[in-house]
Amino acid sequence: MTDPAKVSRALTELMMASHVATLEELPRMVADHVEPVGLHDVAFFLVDMQGRVLRQVTGGGFDAGSGGRELAVDTTLAGRAFQRVDLVTEPGRSSTRQGCRWWVPITDGVERLGLLRADTEQDDRSTRDALRALASMVALLLLSKRDSSDSYARLTRTAPMSVSAEMQWHLTPPSAFAGHNTTVAAVSEPAYDVGGDAFDYAVADDMLHLSVFDAMGHDARAGLTANIAVAACRNARRQGAGLVEISRAVESTLIEQFGTTRYVTGILADLDTRTGQLTWINRGHPLPLLVRAGRWSHELQCRPAGPMGVDLKLPVTVCHEQLQPGDRVILYTDGVVEARDTDGKRFGVERFTDHLVRHHSDTLTVHETLRRLIHAVLGRHDGRLDDDATVLLAEWRDPSQETLTP
């Protein structure tokens, strides 16, 4: 049995020691602090940007991963733990004589950062609690180093990144969030060359804001346009503006910078997390999708105004939809459904919605659903997209049954 008091003390001492440590120092520091409490051969892995591989943080080399293992997400037992966000044991692999090898998801709330590996002599409740506590501590340590570490960025990349993508990912919020009766997940491809797509979300009191933008073009100028749109949206929103006023602020900012030569389409939405009331506007963008009861989906209709930046002065219609517990709202850019396979066939809205419904029925987390969706899109397009593809998904739950679900 793992002593909870000793585990708690070890993790507290680890936290205190980590304040002035670098990412490179964490692997040895973590292992040294938890070895005495019965957690052996500890290592941790970071998932790459596309959710394909898990790379070990060793602390050595250009990316702090020199000499480490690389595990496939889709074809390994460790990958199964990552996909399902659950503890998994690996029979016969423990470094202890009669023990267990564990794979434990490392998450920040519901954002999946990677996996923890540890060997233990026993499998009981206190041991599992200790593993989860250690994984939580490692998540906090990784997050505290992520923004100041080039090594972290290098280890989670499997290809060179364009300047436009570098700019976009710097502005983008985390790909996952949970709280206030909602779970949010997002994905963008091509991850290393995304140009004009951008998404944003934020919570204030009981209101969840969601927005997706698609700028004209696919280059650094498109990325700059999308970045300015997101920044203008945040600036107006944080000053208390409503959706219509926010979209007009985005438009006026783009016109100030580019005249009428650059524009973005977009959906801007607010979800009241207490009541499930969704309010949104459409600025020349593909319509949102609603998946209900995991069995059927339909487009949410709303009269479009013109794209932001072209100064058409069309009226902006505010639309409403009352969600039911378990509903999933999907905002996306046209690169998802316009992707074509080698025979020229589009991925299409029907296949897109079918994928969302089918994997909802498989009871996958929203984040795993999107990971598999975007890999399906890429798979039909020989791994490359001609346009950016972004999906932002929000699930609303029954406030009386609020739990944090990865």
Side-chain angles (χ1 to χ4, degrees):
M1 177 177 176
T2 305
D3 187 333
K6 291 183 178 179
V7 171
S8 178
R9 185 162 57 250
L11 295 184
T12 299
E13 293 172 355
L14 171 60
M15 178 184 65
M16 298 298 292
S18 72
H19 289 313
V20 293
T22 64
L23 175 71
E24 284 78 0
E25 294 173 299
L26 290 184
R28 174 51 53 193
M29 183 176 291
V30 170
D32 286 348
H33 276 80
V34 299
E35 176 74 24
V37 298
L39 303 180
H40 309 295
D41 200 20
V42 170
F44 49 91
F45 299 71
L46 293 176
V47 68
D48 77 297
M49 293 185 64
Q50 295 177 302
R52 296 186 182 278
V53 295
L54 294 146
R55 289 178 156 180
Q56 185 177 353
V57 183
T58 64
F62 182 71
D63 59 2
S66 177
R69 296 178 63 191
E70 182 173 293
L71 308 171
V73 170
D74 288 323
T75 59
T76 63
L77 186 67
R80 185 190 308 168
F82 177 84
Q83 292 179 51
R84 299 293 178 178
V85 197
D86 198 9
L87 280 73
V88 171
T89 58
E90 186 172 1
R93 290 296 303 274
S94 175
S95 58
T96 62
R97 181 170 297 179
Q98 293 180 330
C100 304
R101 167 154 292 183
W102 297 89
W103 296 99
V104 189
I106 300 173
T107 64
D108 174 33
V110 295
E111 182 189 5
R112 299 180 296 181
L113 304 177
L115 276 182
L116 173 78
R117 185 197 70 202
D119 293 348
T120 65
E121 296 174 358
Q122 296 176 316
D123 175 6
D124 53 31
R125 180 173 180 177
S126 64
T127 297
R128 290 173 180 245
D129 288 345
L131 290 165
R132 292 189 179 97
L134 176 58
S136 295
M137 177 58 70
V138 172
L140 294 176
L141 299 184
L142 290 172
L143 290 173
S144 72
K145 312 304 175 186
R146 180 166 65 177
D147 290 343
S148 60
S149 173
D150 276 349
S151 299
Y152 191 110
R154 291 165 181 159
L155 192 60
T156 57
R157 299 179 184 185
T158 60
M161 181 172 287
S162 69
V163 172
S164 61
E166 193 79 56
M167 185 166 50
Q168 287 294 81
W169 288 117
H170 180 72
L171 186 69
T172 298
S175 61
F177 166 81
H180 288 270
N181 315 316
T182 61
T183 300
V184 178
V187 64
S188 286
E189 284 287 348
Y192 300 100
D193 195 30
V194 63
D197 277 12
F199 67 86
D200 197 20
Y201 66 85
V203 174
D205 194 14
D206 291 309
M207 195 65 66
L208 170 66
H209 174 82
L210 304 161
S211 54
V212 164
F213 300 97
D214 187 356
M216 64 173 292
H218 185 80
D219 52 19
R221 289 180 300 172
L224 179 60
T225 304
N227 269 277
I228 290 175
V230 171
C233 174
R234 289 177 178 174
N235 183 260
R237 187 178 73 234
R238 290 167 180 173
Q239 296 181 59
L243 296 176
V244 175
E245 291 74 22
I246 291 172
S247 74
R248 288 173 176 161
V250 172
E251 177 149 54
S252 64
T253 302
L254 293 177
I255 291 173
E256 287 174 6
Q257 297 298 317
F258 305 113
T260 56
T261 63
R262 311 290 302 180
Y263 67 84
V264 298
T265 66
I267 298 288
L268 288 77
D270 285 332
L271 173 61
D272 188 322
T273 61
R274 295 169 302 173
T275 66
Q277 180 75 13
L278 180 72
T279 305
W280 83 99
I281 62 173
N282 181 357
R283 295 301 304 260
H285 199 79
L287 294 169
L289 296 172
L290 175 66
V291 175
R292 175 157 291 166
R295 294 190 300 272
W296 58 277
S297 65
H298 69 277
E299 289 183 333
L300 298 179
Q301 299 296 319
C302 191
R303 182 189 299 273
M308 292 164 280
V310 294
D311 201 23
L312 296 180
K313 295 183 172 59
L314 297 175
V316 180
T317 302
V318 179
C319 298
H320 305 275
E321 180 78 16
Q322 179 58 52
L323 301 187
Q324 297 179 11
D327 280 356
R328 292 181 175 182
V329 176
I330 300 97
L331 314 183
Y332 66 97
T333 62
D334 58 9
V336 177
V337 296
E338 295 293 333
R340 297 178 182 274
D341 61 21
T342 54
D343 295 325
K345 296 180 180 178
R346 297 195 312 159
F347 193 78
V349 175
E350 183 176 349
R351 184 175 285 108
F352 177 41
T353 55
D354 176 71
H355 188 100
L356 291 170
V357 170
R358 176 158 38 86
H359 286 290
H360 186 294
S361 301
D362 290 341
T363 66
L364 297 175
T365 66
V366 293
H367 320 100
E368 182 62 19
T369 296
L370 288 196
R371 190 188 74 87
R372 296 188 184 194
L373 166 68
I374 208 67
H375 289 180
V377 174
L378 287 167
R380 287 184 59 85
H381 202 59
D382 200 27
R384 297 181 59 85
L385 298 176
D386 296 327
D387 192 10
D388 297 341
T390 293
V391 183
L392 178 63
L393 185 156
E395 179 180 280
W396 183 68
R397 299 184 295 276
D398 185 344
S400 67
Q401 300 179 6
E402 165 68 345
T403 58
L404 185 64
T405 303

